[in-house]
PDB file of all heavy atoms in Angstrom:
ATOM      1  N   LEU A   1      -3.123  -2.840 -15.624  1.00 70.00           N
ATOM      2  CA  LEU A   1      -3.754  -4.142 -15.797  1.00 70.00           C
ATOM      3  C   LEU A   1      -3.654  -5.059 -14.587  1.00 70.00           C
ATOM      4  O   LEU A   1      -4.540  -5.886 -14.375  1.00 70.00           O
ATOM      5  CB  LEU A   1      -3.207  -4.842 -17.040  1.00 70.00           C
ATOM      6  CG  LEU A   1      -3.551  -4.167 -18.369  1.00 70.00           C
ATOM      7  CD1 LEU A   1      -2.968  -4.961 -19.523  1.00 70.00           C
ATOM      8  CD2 LEU A   1      -5.043  -3.990 -18.528  1.00 70.00           C
ATOM      9  N   HIS A   2      -2.601  -4.923 -13.782  1.00 72.00           N
ATOM     10  CA  HIS A   2      -2.506  -5.787 -12.607  1.00 72.00           C
ATOM     11  C   HIS A   2      -3.663  -5.536 -11.649  1.00 72.00           C
ATOM     12  O   HIS A   2      -4.167  -6.450 -11.020  1.00 72.00           O
ATOM     13  CB  HIS A   2      -1.154  -5.625 -11.905  1.00 72.00           C
ATOM     14  CG  HIS A   2      -0.956  -4.299 -11.262  1.00 72.00           C
ATOM     15  ND1 HIS A   2      -0.610  -3.176 -11.975  1.00 72.00           N
ATOM     16  CD2 HIS A   2      -1.061  -3.916  -9.963  1.00 72.00           C
ATOM     17  CE1 HIS A   2      -0.509  -2.144 -11.159  1.00 72.00           C
ATOM     18  NE2 HIS A   2      -0.787  -2.556  -9.940  1.00 72.00           N
ATOM     19  N   ARG A   3      -4.140  -4.289 -11.568  1.00 75.00           N
ATOM     20  CA  ARG A   3      -5.294  -3.987 -10.708  1.00 75.00           C
ATOM     21  C   ARG A   3      -6.563  -4.610 -11.278  1.00 75.00           C
ATOM     22  O   ARG A   3      -7.423  -5.069 -10.536  1.00 75.00           O
ATOM     23  CB  ARG A   3      -5.464  -2.472 -10.558  1.00 75.00           C
ATOM     24  CG  ARG A   3      -4.380  -1.877  -9.689  1.00 75.00           C
ATOM     25  CD  ARG A   3      -4.642  -0.397  -9.430  1.00 75.00           C
ATOM     26  NE  ARG A   3      -3.344   0.268  -9.359  1.00 75.00           N
ATOM     27  CZ  ARG A   3      -2.906   1.166 -10.219  1.00 75.00           C
ATOM     28  NH1 ARG A   3      -3.651   1.573 -11.208  1.00 75.00           N
ATOM     29  NH2 ARG A   3      -1.715   1.690 -10.075  1.00 75.00           N
ATOM     30  N   VAL A   4      -6.680  -4.614 -12.596  1.00 74.00           N
ATOM     31  CA  VAL A   4      -7.833  -5.232 -13.239  1.00 74.00           C
ATOM     32  C   VAL A   4      -7.815  -6.741 -12.988  1.00 74.00           C
ATOM     33  O   VAL A   4      -8.837  -7.341 -12.628  1.00 74.00           O
ATOM     34  CB  VAL A   4      -7.866  -4.921 -14.752  1.00 74.00           C
ATOM     35  CG1 VAL A   4      -8.968  -5.705 -15.457  1.00 74.00           C
ATOM     36  CG2 VAL A   4      -8.037  -3.429 -14.981  1.00 74.00           C
ATOM     37  N   ALA A   5      -6.650  -7.375 -13.166  1.00 76.00           N
ATOM     38  CA  ALA A   5      -6.532  -8.819 -12.929  1.00 76.00           C
ATOM     39  C   ALA A   5      -6.854  -9.157 -11.484  1.00 76.00           C
ATOM     40  O   ALA A   5      -7.584 -10.119 -11.200  1.00 76.00           O
ATOM     41  CB  ALA A   5      -5.129  -9.299 -13.297  1.00 76.00           C
ATOM     42  N   GLU A   6      -6.337  -8.367 -10.562  1.00 82.00           N
ATOM     43  CA  GLU A   6      -6.603  -8.598  -9.147  1.00 82.00           C
ATOM     44  C   GLU A   6      -8.098  -8.457  -8.844  1.00 82.00           C
ATOM     45  O   GLU A   6      -8.670  -9.267  -8.112  1.00 82.00           O
ATOM     46  CB  GLU A   6      -5.789  -7.610  -8.308  1.00 82.00           C
ATOM     47  CG  GLU A   6      -5.861  -7.873  -6.828  1.00 82.00           C
ATOM     48  CD  GLU A   6      -4.938  -6.950  -6.071  1.00 82.00           C
ATOM     49  OE1 GLU A   6      -4.999  -5.717  -6.279  1.00 82.00           O
ATOM     50  OE2 GLU A   6      -4.153  -7.456  -5.258  1.00 82.00           O
ATOM     51  N   ALA A   7      -8.742  -7.447  -9.407  1.00 81.00           N
ATOM     52  CA  ALA A   7     -10.173  -7.244  -9.187  1.00 81.00           C
ATOM     53  C   ALA A   7     -10.993  -8.383  -9.795  1.00 81.00           C
ATOM     54  O   ALA A   7     -11.996  -8.806  -9.209  1.00 81.00           O
ATOM     55  CB  ALA A   7     -10.614  -5.900  -9.761  1.00 81.00           C
ATOM     56  N   CYS A   8     -10.585  -8.906 -10.950  1.00 81.00           N
ATOM     57  CA  CYS A   8     -11.281 -10.044 -11.565  1.00 81.00           C
ATOM     58  C   CYS A   8     -11.208 -11.275 -10.671  1.00 81.00           C
ATOM     59  O   CYS A   8     -12.209 -11.967 -10.462  1.00 81.00           O
ATOM     60  CB  CYS A   8     -10.695 -10.369 -12.939  1.00 81.00           C
ATOM     61  SG  CYS A   8     -11.157  -9.221 -14.237  1.00 81.00           S
ATOM     62  N   VAL A   9     -10.021 -11.555 -10.139  1.00 87.00           N
ATOM     63  CA  VAL A   9      -9.845 -12.715  -9.256  1.00 87.00           C
ATOM     64  C   VAL A   9     -10.669 -12.526  -7.988  1.00 87.00           C
ATOM     65  O   VAL A   9     -11.356 -13.447  -7.538  1.00 87.00           O
ATOM     66  CB  VAL A   9      -8.345 -12.944  -8.946  1.00 87.00           C
ATOM     67  CG1 VAL A   9      -8.164 -13.893  -7.782  1.00 87.00           C
ATOM     68  CG2 VAL A   9      -7.639 -13.467 -10.193  1.00 87.00           C
ATOM     69  N   ARG A  10     -10.630 -11.343  -7.413  1.00 88.00           N
ATOM     70  CA  ARG A  10     -11.393 -11.079  -6.182  1.00 88.00           C
ATOM     71  C   ARG A  10     -12.897 -11.249  -6.450  1.00 88.00           C
ATOM     72  O   ARG A  10     -13.607 -11.888  -5.667  1.00 88.00           O
ATOM     73  CB  ARG A  10     -11.104  -9.678  -5.658  1.00 88.00           C
ATOM     74  CG  ARG A  10     -11.893  -9.367  -4.386  1.00 88.00           C
ATOM     75  CD  ARG A  10     -11.331  -8.198  -3.634  1.00 88.00           C
ATOM     76  NE  ARG A  10     -10.050  -8.645  -3.081  1.00 88.00           N
ATOM     77  CZ  ARG A  10      -8.951  -7.899  -3.100  1.00 88.00           C
ATOM     78  NH1 ARG A  10      -8.966  -6.693  -3.605  1.00 88.00           N
ATOM     79  NH2 ARG A  10      -7.828  -8.360  -2.583  1.00 88.00           N
ATOM     80  N   ASN A  11     -13.383 -10.705  -7.564  1.00 85.00           N
ATOM     81  CA  ASN A  11     -14.796 -10.834  -7.909  1.00 85.00           C
ATOM     82  C   ASN A  11     -15.168 -12.298  -8.112  1.00 85.00           C
ATOM     83  O   ASN A  11     -16.213 -12.757  -7.647  1.00 85.00           O
ATOM     84  CB  ASN A  11     -15.095 -10.006  -9.158  1.00 85.00           C
ATOM     85  CG  ASN A  11     -16.540 -10.097  -9.567  1.00 85.00           C
ATOM     86  OD1 ASN A  11     -16.938 -11.019 -10.281  1.00 85.00           O
ATOM     87  ND2 ASN A  11     -17.342  -9.132  -9.124  1.00 85.00           N
ATOM     88  N   PHE A  12     -14.320 -13.036  -8.809  1.00 86.00           N
ATOM     89  CA  PHE A  12     -14.553 -14.468  -9.028  1.00 86.00           C
ATOM     90  C   PHE A  12     -14.669 -15.212  -7.702  1.00 86.00           C
ATOM     91  O   PHE A  12     -15.586 -16.012  -7.502  1.00 86.00           O
ATOM     92  CB  PHE A  12     -13.420 -15.056  -9.875  1.00 86.00           C
ATOM     93  CG  PHE A  12     -13.410 -16.550  -9.931  1.00 86.00           C
ATOM     94  CD1 PHE A  12     -14.290 -17.238 -10.755  1.00 86.00           C
ATOM     95  CD2 PHE A  12     -12.525 -17.276  -9.155  1.00 86.00           C
ATOM     96  CE1 PHE A  12     -14.276 -18.623 -10.802  1.00 86.00           C
ATOM     97  CE2 PHE A  12     -12.502 -18.662  -9.192  1.00 86.00           C
ATOM     98  CZ  PHE A  12     -13.386 -19.343 -10.020  1.00 86.00           C
ATOM     99  N   LEU A  13     -13.753 -14.950  -6.774  1.00 91.00           N
ATOM    100  CA  LEU A  13     -13.783 -15.635  -5.480  1.00 91.00           C
ATOM    101  C   LEU A  13     -15.036 -15.274  -4.680  1.00 91.00           C
ATOM    102  O   LEU A  13     -15.670 -16.149  -4.078  1.00 91.00           O
ATOM    103  CB  LEU A  13     -12.528 -15.308  -4.670  1.00 91.00           C
ATOM    104  CG  LEU A  13     -11.248 -15.989  -5.136  1.00 91.00           C
ATOM    105  CD1 LEU A  13     -10.054 -15.439  -4.379  1.00 91.00           C
ATOM    106  CD2 LEU A  13     -11.336 -17.505  -4.970  1.00 91.00           C
ATOM    107  N   HIS A  14     -15.405 -14.004  -4.678  1.00 90.00           N
ATOM    108  CA  HIS A  14     -16.598 -13.586  -3.928  1.00 90.00           C
ATOM    109  C   HIS A  14     -17.871 -14.186  -4.532  1.00 90.00           C
ATOM    110  O   HIS A  14     -18.766 -14.622  -3.788  1.00 90.00           O
ATOM    111  CB  HIS A  14     -16.684 -12.060  -3.853  1.00 90.00           C
ATOM    112  CG  HIS A  14     -15.765 -11.493  -2.819  1.00 90.00           C
ATOM    113  ND1 HIS A  14     -16.109 -11.369  -1.500  1.00 90.00           N
ATOM    114  CD2 HIS A  14     -14.493 -11.035  -2.921  1.00 90.00           C
ATOM    115  CE1 HIS A  14     -15.104 -10.859  -0.815  1.00 90.00           C
ATOM    116  NE2 HIS A  14     -14.106 -10.642  -1.660  1.00 90.00           N
ATOM    117  N   ARG A  15     -17.963 -14.232  -5.860  1.00 87.00           N
ATOM    118  CA  ARG A  15     -19.132 -14.860  -6.499  1.00 87.00           C
ATOM    119  C   ARG A  15     -19.178 -16.353  -6.204  1.00 87.00           C
ATOM    120  O   ARG A  15     -20.246 -16.909  -5.942  1.00 87.00           O
ATOM    121  CB  ARG A  15     -19.101 -14.644  -8.012  1.00 87.00           C
ATOM    122  CG  ARG A  15     -19.554 -13.284  -8.432  1.00 87.00           C
ATOM    123  CD  ARG A  15     -19.746 -13.164  -9.929  1.00 87.00           C
ATOM    124  NE  ARG A  15     -19.180 -14.261 -10.686  1.00 87.00           N
ATOM    125  CZ  ARG A  15     -18.739 -14.165 -11.919  1.00 87.00           C
ATOM    126  NH1 ARG A  15     -18.800 -13.036 -12.570  1.00 87.00           N
ATOM    127  NH2 ARG A  15     -18.238 -15.201 -12.543  1.00 87.00           N
ATOM    128  N   THR A  16     -18.016 -17.012  -6.248  1.00 89.00           N
ATOM    129  CA  THR A  16     -17.962 -18.448  -5.955  1.00 89.00           C
ATOM    130  C   THR A  16     -18.382 -18.710  -4.520  1.00 89.00           C
ATOM    131  O   THR A  16     -19.177 -19.619  -4.244  1.00 89.00           O
ATOM    132  CB  THR A  16     -16.552 -18.998  -6.231  1.00 89.00           C
ATOM    133  OG1 THR A  16     -16.229 -18.778  -7.614  1.00 89.00           O
ATOM    134  CG2 THR A  16     -16.471 -20.482  -5.940  1.00 89.00           C
ATOM    135  N   ALA A  17     -17.869 -17.919  -3.574  1.00 93.00           N
ATOM    136  CA  ALA A  17     -18.246 -18.071  -2.163  1.00 93.00           C
ATOM    137  C   ALA A  17     -19.748 -17.856  -1.979  1.00 93.00           C
ATOM    138  O   ALA A  17     -20.417 -18.628  -1.274  1.00 93.00           O
ATOM    139  CB  ALA A  17     -17.451 -17.095  -1.292  1.00 93.00           C
ATOM    140  N   ALA A  18     -20.291 -16.822  -2.623  1.00 91.00           N
ATOM    141  CA  ALA A  18     -21.726 -16.547  -2.516  1.00 91.00           C
ATOM    142  C   ALA A  18     -22.549 -17.701  -3.087  1.00 91.00           C
ATOM    143  O   ALA A  18     -23.564 -18.099  -2.499  1.00 91.00           O
ATOM    144  CB  ALA A  18     -22.071 -15.239  -3.225  1.00 91.00           C
ATOM    145  N   ASN A  19     -22.117 -18.271  -4.224  1.00 88.00           N
ATOM    146  CA  ASN A  19     -22.822 -19.415  -4.804  1.00 88.00           C
ATOM    147  C   ASN A  19     -22.807 -20.605  -3.854  1.00 88.00           C
ATOM    148  O   ASN A  19     -23.823 -21.274  -3.670  1.00 88.00           O
ATOM    149  CB  ASN A  19     -22.204 -19.813  -6.144  1.00 88.00           C
ATOM    150  CG  ASN A  19     -22.502 -18.830  -7.245  1.00 88.00           C
ATOM    151  OD1 ASN A  19     -23.421 -18.028  -7.161  1.00 88.00           O
ATOM    152  ND2 ASN A  19     -21.705 -18.878  -8.306  1.00 88.00           N
ATOM    153  N   LEU A  20     -21.662 -20.880  -3.236  1.00 91.00           N
ATOM    154  CA  LEU A  20     -21.551 -21.998  -2.293  1.00 91.00           C
ATOM    155  C   LEU A  20     -22.421 -21.763  -1.068  1.00 91.00           C
ATOM    156  O   LEU A  20     -23.118 -22.673  -0.599  1.00 91.00           O
ATOM    157  CB  LEU A  20     -20.090 -22.209  -1.890  1.00 91.00           C
ATOM    158  CG  LEU A  20     -19.201 -22.815  -2.967  1.00 91.00           C
ATOM    159  CD1 LEU A  20     -17.729 -22.627  -2.619  1.00 91.00           C
ATOM    160  CD2 LEU A  20     -19.531 -24.302  -3.163  1.00 91.00           C
ATOM    161  N   GLU A  21     -22.388 -20.548  -0.528  1.00 93.00           N
ATOM    162  CA  GLU A  21     -23.211 -20.246   0.653  1.00 93.00           C
ATOM    163  C   GLU A  21     -24.695 -20.336   0.329  1.00 93.00           C
ATOM    164  O   GLU A  21     -25.487 -20.822   1.133  1.00 93.00           O
ATOM    165  CB  GLU A  21     -22.852 -18.863   1.198  1.00 93.00           C
ATOM    166  CG  GLU A  21     -21.472 -18.837   1.837  1.00 93.00           C
ATOM    167  CD  GLU A  21     -20.994 -17.435   2.181  1.00 93.00           C
ATOM    168  OE1 GLU A  21     -21.675 -16.434   1.843  1.00 93.00           O
ATOM    169  OE2 GLU A  21     -19.904 -17.329   2.800  1.00 93.00           O
ATOM    170  N   HIS A  22     -25.084 -19.867  -0.854  1.00 88.00           N
ATOM    171  CA  HIS A  22     -26.482 -19.942  -1.267  1.00 88.00           C
ATOM    172  C   HIS A  22     -26.932 -21.401  -1.408  1.00 88.00           C
ATOM    173  O   HIS A  22     -28.019 -21.759  -0.966  1.00 88.00           O
ATOM    174  CB  HIS A  22     -26.669 -19.191  -2.588  1.00 88.00           C
ATOM    175  CG  HIS A  22     -28.069 -19.252  -3.111  1.00 88.00           C
ATOM    176  ND1 HIS A  22     -29.102 -18.514  -2.571  1.00 88.00           N
ATOM    177  CD2 HIS A  22     -28.613 -19.990  -4.119  1.00 88.00           C
ATOM    178  CE1 HIS A  22     -30.216 -18.802  -3.218  1.00 88.00           C
ATOM    179  NE2 HIS A  22     -29.944 -19.672  -4.169  1.00 88.00           N
ATOM    180  N   GLU A  23     -26.105 -22.229  -2.037  1.00 85.00           N
ATOM    181  CA  GLU A  23     -26.446 -23.655  -2.183  1.00 85.00           C
ATOM    182  C   GLU A  23     -26.561 -24.331  -0.829  1.00 85.00           C
ATOM    183  O   GLU A  23     -27.448 -25.156  -0.612  1.00 85.00           O
ATOM    184  CB  GLU A  23     -25.386 -24.383  -3.027  1.00 85.00           C
ATOM    185  CG  GLU A  23     -25.490 -24.121  -4.501  1.00 85.00           C
ATOM    186  CD  GLU A  23     -24.562 -25.020  -5.298  1.00 85.00           C
ATOM    187  OE1 GLU A  23     -23.962 -25.962  -4.728  1.00 85.00           O
ATOM    188  OE2 GLU A  23     -24.441 -24.796  -6.510  1.00 85.00           O
ATOM    189  N   GLU A  24     -25.660 -23.994   0.090  1.00 86.00           N
ATOM    190  CA  GLU A  24     -25.675 -24.630   1.417  1.00 86.00           C
ATOM    191  C   GLU A  24     -26.921 -24.209   2.180  1.00 86.00           C
ATOM    192  O   GLU A  24     -27.525 -25.016   2.882  1.00 86.00           O
ATOM    193  CB  GLU A  24     -24.413 -24.239   2.190  1.00 86.00           C
ATOM    194  CG  GLU A  24     -24.095 -25.137   3.364  1.00 86.00           C
ATOM    195  CD  GLU A  24     -24.798 -24.723   4.651  1.00 86.00           C
ATOM    196  OE1 GLU A  24     -25.067 -23.530   4.826  1.00 86.00           O
ATOM    197  OE2 GLU A  24     -25.070 -25.614   5.482  1.00 86.00           O
ATOM    198  N   ALA A  25     -27.356 -22.983   2.037  1.00 83.00           N
ATOM    199  CA  ALA A  25     -28.548 -22.493   2.739  1.00 83.00           C
ATOM    200  C   ALA A  25     -29.830 -23.086   2.169  1.00 83.00           C
ATOM    201  O   ALA A  25     -30.823 -23.189   2.872  1.00 83.00           O
ATOM    202  CB  ALA A  25     -28.608 -20.962   2.659  1.00 83.00           C
ATOM    203  N   ALA A  26     -29.790 -23.465   0.882  1.00 75.00           N
ATOM    204  CA  ALA A  26     -31.021 -23.966   0.216  1.00 75.00           C
ATOM    205  C   ALA A  26     -31.369 -25.345   0.606  1.00 75.00           C
ATOM    206  O   ALA A  26     -31.069 -26.189   1.092  1.00 75.00           O
ATOM    207  CB  ALA A  26     -30.846 -23.925  -1.303  1.00 75.00           C
TER     208      ALA A  26
END
């Protein structure tokens, strides 16, 4: 489960970064 939790956090951060970069580019 620690690998699952780590992957969830990593995915969350990458999606958040992508959302911020997309908004800034728009």
Side-chain angles (χ1 to χ4, degrees):
L1 294 181
H2 68 281
R3 288 186 214 114
V4 173
E6 187 175 51
C8 285
V9 166
R10 179 163 290 137
N11 180 274
F12 168 78
L13 286 172
H14 281 274
R15 281 190 347 209
T16 300
N19 288 341
L20 287 164
E21 290 171 355
H22 178 75
E23 283 189 9
E24 198 273 331

